Amino acid sequence: MQNFQNNYSPEALLQGLNPAQQEAVTSDAQVLRVIAGAGSGKTKVLTERIKWLINVEHLAAEQILAITFTNKAAAEMRSRLMGFLPERSYVNRLWIGTFHATCLRILRLHANLMGWDRNFTVMNRADQEKTLRELLAVLGKNPKEFVPKEILARISRWKERGLRADMLAEERAFSARANQDYIAIYREYEKFCRANARADFDELILLTIELLEQEEMVRNHFHRLFRAVFVDEFQDTNELQMRLIQLLTADDAKLFVVGDEDQSIYGWRGAQIENILYLERRYPNLHTVSLEENYRSTGNILQAANAVIANNKKRLGKKLWTAAADGEKIRVISAFNEKDEAEKIAEIIKKTAREKNRSWREFAILYRRNSLSRNLEYSLSNQEIPYRIYGGLRFFDRQEIKDALAYLRLLNHPEDNQALERIINRPKRSIGEKTIDDLRLAAWQNAGGIWNLLTNDFFISANFPKRAKALAEFTSLIKKMQAEFQEALRENDCRDAEKAGQLLTRALEIAIHSSGLWDFYSNENDRTYSETRSDNLEELVSAAKEFALRNPIFPDNFTGETTPDAGILLDNFLASCTLDAGDYEADAGENRVQLMTIHSAKGLEFPFVFVAGCEDGIFPSYQALQSLHDEIEEERRLCYVAFTRAREELSCSFAHIRYEQGREHASDCSRFLKEIPENLLSMQGFMPGKTVHPASAPNANFASAPRAGKTAGKFAVGKKVEHSKYGRGVIKDVEGEGERSRVLVRFNFQIGDKWLVLKYANLQLVE
């Protein structure tokens, strides 16, 4: 091993570090847990600690193992060390990489000891599916009965728990016939992958653990090699990753873990917050350092984040602070509905960019679920604000949306080859690419569309005998859907906006449900992925109804009459979907506003951050509200992450009415907003449950000051009312007119004050 000592003195290495950071870098504790709050210089502490060990404690580069969760994080650490170490070759001797990359490096050396070819291939998800299909064909299993995606999801969960097929077969919980079938496939999958030298991502970690557990010589080798082990984002580790860390860390080696329990937001995919919370149970000699000074956000943003996260019980406890100014208060935007919310956000972005001379790239809009992006995209496009969906696709570019729209196109234009080719085998119908290619060629040779060929029974049976049944079933399905649509057309006249909305909604329901798309996407084994797909399909139905109400069919210029033919309505909606995808969306690297889920935003920061959809049932999610305490705490941690992405200004918005599943629902603002002290808020409109009313709110829908004698029909200040959920109360304030009228009702002590939209609240006067 080649030791290296730079000319840096210990004092020089510590320059620019605050006292807590210096303690973390220089500590002689064998096991050190660094609780690094958001924006507290986590990566800097990690790299400075490595420099310290090399320069002051004289460790060789190859004696340091640093495990990260992303290639980006590993690259950032290497980049920061490059200027300190003399040669690239020296940096490359450091073991810095993700969990999977570290395991691959170990297995390339020793996989043969486990009966594997050391030159095995690492499979991505598509490779896994292809491999499993090959295996199912060999086993004579029907892929319709044994769906590859579902089987792979089960195998992944089993491997993450460290369970092999033989271990599962012995457990009573897996004694049912259906489970035994899956276990048998899992067993054959293991054999097939080993025999064909193909490893999936989960195999890399599990096989490495088995290698280290079973081969004492290998384990001792790495114990002698690694004298310091670093783990980044420790709060995100799962059970299997924790086992790997313990196996790679010798009893006399130094373990340095960095994380933030308040940013643990991946429990839904196996992360165990207990690993960081209760690390002293595994290592009694644990020493902890907290990094609380924040170098990113203003004082008010940090105070708001602290106030929200303080309500969690599962935390070690810290309080972020900054030497910077308090800055702007947190803007809370109270909107009438989701369109109003999106318009307000777009207006504020445009105004701020103009008045403060800021670039579009300095703005980010975060949301809890993908489906919320549609209205935001529409409003940004209307304002000619360039935007980009970060880490994902625009709403109308998402797979499930394009699939549903393709079915919708076939209701009106069955000859549309592009739409037909997209969904002829989705959901799966055993119609492969070869069949589609042959159909396309035959249609071209006959100068017609594929649909014309499919409706020719003689042609199909003669030219596609093996696929005739599957093709006939597809053709029958499309005809059935078209018949359903014609029935809906007879019941709804397109010349009436309300009925046109019902017709378009029904058409989307046929395209989504009758086609089998809903079941296909709802039954995906990954619950979170499935819920996102389902949310997006529901949002598409809402979009259709809104479109019909917003774009009635106008009279024909020549006859003065509207046509009852739904073709115009469908074509107009499909065209709007294409346009709404955003002419103004910018390519990566251009100056644009960024839209993303809060999960995607972790690790990023922006001067101006908007958190949209801050309503109970959205953020926190409905599932979290209905579930155990732990899920609410994870939602609150997600809120903490969202808030701490903002450097200069933080805005949160909510709508009193929101379209969901094709219907309007009254909603209440997020309980997380109510946890923020009122003195930190600048409210546009009024905050349900808050008593402070702003003197003015120029862009709010409900911006009139309360005064005695105000009424909304029979509901007046001072009247007693009864609500089906909250019980009896007294009206304290009235706002708005018509459909936007609402009342502030003071209920009992536990309920408090509630703003209720009269159209939806169903309040009864109590005489």
Side-chain angles (χ1 to χ4, degrees), residues 8 53-54 165 186 304 371 390 447 505 590 593 607 614 630 632 669 747 750 760:
Y8 291 96
L53 291 180
I54 292 174
Y186 179 22
S371 58
Y390 179 92
T505 298
E590 291 184 355
V593 174
C614 294
D630 283 356
I632 282 290
C669 86
F747 294 100
Q750 288 84 0
Y760 302 97

Side-chain angles (χ1 to χ4, degrees), residues 640-658:
Y640 174 84
V641 168
F643 285 8
T644 54
R645 299 311 94 197
R647 295 207 299 261
E648 299 176 31
E649 292 185 19
L650 171 64
S651 302
C652 302
S653 62
F654 67 96
H656 293 278
I657 300 169
R658 190 172 291 274

Side-chain angles (χ1 to χ4, degrees), residues 329-349:
K329 291 186 177 184
I330 287 75
R331 179 191 289 116
V332 177
I333 304 165
S334 171
F336 179 68
N337 57 25
E338 68 273 21
K339 285 188 62 183
D340 186 34
E341 175 190 39
E343 288 168 2
K344 281 179 164 54
I345 290 174
E347 288 168 2
I348 293 171
I349 289 175

Side-chain angles (χ1 to χ4, degrees), residues 22-176:
Q22 289 184 15
E23 182 185 357
V25 168
T26 63
S27 174
D28 59 0
Q30 187 177 351
V31 182
L32 185 63
R33 174 177 60 189
V34 177
I35 305 302
S40 63
K42 169 178 67 75
T43 305
K44 184 175 185 178
V45 167
L46 269 170
T47 53
E48 294 304 315
R49 173 71 172 178
I50 292 174
K51 293 177 185 179
W52 183 270
L53 291 180
I54 292 174
N55 198 67
V56 178
E57 300 191 17
H58 310 308
L59 289 190
E62 54 266 37
Q63 291 181 299
I64 295 173
L65 168 64
I67 303 177
T68 67
F69 268 85
T70 65
N71 290 316
K72 180 182 177 182
E76 175 65 18
M77 287 180 65
R78 286 179 177 275
S79 175
R80 294 194 184 199
L81 289 167
M82 195 71 71
F84 171 77
L85 299 173
E87 298 176 2
R88 179 180 294 274
S89 61
Y90 198 91
V91 176
N92 290 339
R93 283 161 49 199
L94 291 161
W95 283 64
I96 299 178
T98 64
F99 277 95
H100 295 108
T102 300
C103 290
L104 177 61
R105 190 170 174 180
I106 292 172
L107 291 173
R108 285 287 186 241
L109 298 170
H110 304 290
N112 59 309
L113 297 176
M114 302 300 292
W116 279 74
D117 185 333
R118 287 189 296 187
N119 295 319
F120 60 83
T121 299
V122 180
M123 298 184 290
N124 59 26
R125 194 66 177 180
D127 296 330
Q128 276 185 273
E129 284 194 41
K130 187 173 183 294
T131 295
L132 190 57
R133 289 184 183 281
E134 292 176 23
L135 176 61
L136 291 174
V138 171
L139 298 176
K141 300 288 187 181
N142 186 344
K144 287 186 177 180
E145 182 180 357
F146 297 96
V147 182
K149 282 187 177 180
E150 181 180 341
I151 295 173
L152 290 174
R154 288 179 182 238
I155 290 174
S156 179
R157 287 201 305 273
W158 287 333
K159 286 188 177 184
E160 284 180 357
R161 293 172 53 199
L163 298 172
R164 293 293 189 185
D166 291 339
M167 299 164 69
L168 289 168
E170 297 172 2
E171 293 191 16
R172 289 184 182 179
F174 297 98
S175 60

